[in-house]
Amino acid sequence: LKEEALRKVDAADGIQQLKDVRVEYLGKKGPITEVLRGMGKLSKEERPVIGQLANEVREDIAQAIEVKQTGLEEAALEEQLEAESLDVTLPGRPVQVGGPHLLTSIVEEIEDLFIGMGFEIKEGPEVESDYYNFEALNLPKGHPARDMQDSFYVTEELLMRTHTSPVQARTMGLKNGSEPVKMICPGKVYRRDTDDATHSHQFTQIEGLLVDKDVRMSDLKGVLNAFAKQMFGAERDIRLRPSFFPFTEPSVEMDISCKVCGGAGCSVCKGTGWIEILGAGMVHPNVLEMAGYDPKEYSGFAFGMGPERIAMLKYGVDDIRNFYINDQRFLKQYHKA
Ligand code: FA5
């Protein structure tokens, strides 16, 4: 019996198996307990002999189990340590480092240029009232020029602003008609335009407004010229074309020579060699008056530019959709080291 038990202890290769052996031989229903229980039936002479033998066998088996158990536990610990070990010589995984989006960088660059010329930065709401987006800009309800900017209406009186020009009216409105204004306002705008290489239904604009006594068209030209030369370099050509905006009179549009491709089949400039980057003009007397300024005393200029188009020209991006599809391969090219 003892040898059989010791063999089983030896053969056990798991803690559970060992427990089973203990129950089988040393448990309440095991053979040794049975022998000890039957002692009463034995003769006086047999009792001590059998009793001692049974106890010895029990001790031996228990000890063998204990030794085996310690061995198994050590092996299990060893195995666990092995499995959880760290190989400190493995090369680390590179940490992904982000960077500013090209559009964020270009907006900040433009802001810096204008801050350098003494302009303040203002902000306005993206969900705008019909009044500020149109009426205060000399575009009453039913005015045909409202069609120039197809709009996303939220309610009859609220819409996603179609340009940053409402911030002109908001800023002037806070000045009591007497203080000069010199501000730019960057922000998102929304139009029901069909997306193509140069148009997006949501894009960015930077508005500019300068109101003071004796502001002239030549001041506007000087500021735009200084901006364009600093932004694109002296070798780029600029042209101002007469245009129409209900909130400026006279109105112009500024084009920059297109270096991306320029020729026929060019998606950016449609083969013309020029791309429009901003609209501008002298603030319309009606707009000044609605904001509380006396147009006989005050005059001003305003402009609104598209930073996506500016980034396209500066960095040779040939499709405006690249700014919005979040392809890391595109965006990473413009992360500064
Ligand atoms: C305006 O939005 C006028 N508020 C600009 C203005 C301000 C004129 C102040 C006079 C005084 P326009 O719709 O042309 O004008 O847009 C201005 C610039 O935004 C464009 O020159 C162009 O660079 C950019 N832009 C216009 N539509 C889109 C579009 N769908 N996707 C990307 N850029 C656009």
Side-chain angles (χ1 to χ4, degrees):
L1 179 81
K2 175 176 152 187
E3 261 159 34
E4 183 190 291
L6 292 183
R7 237 182 293 120
K8 284 197 180 171
V9 169
D10 203 38
D13 53 9
I15 300 282
Q16 188 54 45
Q17 238 175 312
L18 199 61
K19 273 188 186 159
D20 294 344
V21 177
R22 181 195 291 277
V23 171
E24 185 179 344
Y25 289 93
L26 306 181
K28 280 184 200 146
K29 289 177 189 155
I32 295 171
T33 316
E34 205 174 306
V35 170
L36 291 172
R37 246 192 233 130
M39 294 284 274
K41 290 182 199 139
L42 296 176
S43 66
K44 253 188 192 164
E45 297 75 38
E46 280 174 319
R47 236 177 266 163
V49 181
I50 298 292
Q52 197 186 353
L53 190 62
N55 276 330
E56 268 173 26
V57 169
R58 192 175 57 183
E59 284 296 300
D60 289 352
I61 296 174
Q63 203 185 343
I65 288 176
E66 201 166 305
V67 171
K68 181 76 185 186
Q69 184 163 346
T70 315
L72 283 174
E73 277 169 1
E74 271 171 16
L77 183 65
E78 197 82 351
E79 205 175 301
Q80 192 185 358
L81 286 175
E82 185 77 16
E84 289 176 0
S85 72
L86 275 181
D87 182 353
V88 290
T89 64
L90 273 178
R93 284 194 206 115
V95 178
Q96 294 270 347
V97 181
H101 193 284
L102 173 57
L103 198 47
T104 309
S105 308
I106 205 96
V107 169
E108 282 174 3
E109 203 178 323
I110 297 170
E111 283 177 358
D112 285 347
L113 281 180
F114 281 100
I115 289 170
M117 291 191 261
F119 285 76
E120 278 185 286
I121 310 230
K122 296 280 179 198
E123 281 186 357
E126 285 174 34
V127 178
E128 186 53 283
S129 66
D130 185 274
Y131 176 77
Y132 280 116
N133 197 80
F134 290 127
E135 275 183 53
L137 296 170
N138 205 26
L139 273 150
K141 287 209 163 78
H143 193 293
R146 283 192 177 204
D147 294 346
M148 287 163 74
Q149 300 179 1
D150 249 352
S151 323
F152 291 114
Y153 273 87
V154 177
T155 66
E156 214 168 296
E157 284 305 316
L158 286 178
L159 71 158
M160 303 307 291
R161 67 177 174 195
T162 55
H163 51 178
T164 43
S165 299
V167 186
Q168 285 186 34
R170 284 181 176 274
T171 311
M172 282 189 279
L174 293 172
K175 299 279 184 181
N176 305 323
S178 54
E179 287 167 73
V181 178
K182 199 174 178 187
M183 68 90 178
I184 62 163
C185 165
K188 291 193 191 103
V189 302
Y190 305 82
R191 287 187 199 175
R192 290 182 44 156
D193 277 349
T194 307
D195 291 1
D196 63 21
T198 54
H199 292 83
S200 176
H201 60 281
Q202 182 235 294
F203 59 103
T204 318
Q205 280 194 341
I206 299 181
E207 193 76 12
L209 173 70
L210 188 147
V211 177
D212 208 337
K213 290 181 179 162
D214 223 12
V215 179
R216 298 150 190 245
M217 186 86 181
S218 52
D219 298 317
L220 169 64
K221 236 177 135 176
V223 166
L224 291 181
N225 207 26
F227 158 72
K229 295 289 183 204
Q230 286 183 72
M231 196 69 197
F232 298 103
E235 74 284 1
R236 286 288 180 98
D237 292 326
I238 293 159
R239 72 176 186 191
L240 291 181
R241 280 179 292 108
S243 185
F244 170 76
F245 297 101
F247 32 92
T248 47
E249 181 58 39
S251 303
V252 292
E253 274 176 325
M254 186 166 100
D255 298 338
I256 301 266
S257 58
C258 174
K259 274 208 175 163
V260 178
C261 42
C266 166
S267 61
V268 178
C269 66
K270 301 185 180 79
T272 62
W274 296 94
I275 181 168
E276 170 206 320
I277 60 157
L278 61 83
M282 301 308 290
V283 181
H284 196 289
N286 289 356
V287 174
L288 286 171
E289 210 164 349
M290 275 187 275
Y293 285 85
D294 179 356
K296 288 187 209 78
E297 210 183 332
Y298 285 88
S299 53
F301 67 70
F303 56 84
M305 64 178 79
E308 283 92 344
R309 300 246 182 112
I310 289 166
M312 288 168 84
L313 277 171
K314 189 160 170 160
Y315 296 109
V317 178
D318 62 2
D319 197 314
I320 196 169
R321 287 165 287 205
N322 282 322
F323 293 105
Y324 298 109
I325 53 181
N326 284 332
D327 185 336
Q328 292 296 319
R329 288 168 301 181
F330 168 76
L331 297 174
K332 273 191 184 148
Q333 295 173 56
Y334 301 100
H335 288 171
K336 293 193 179 108

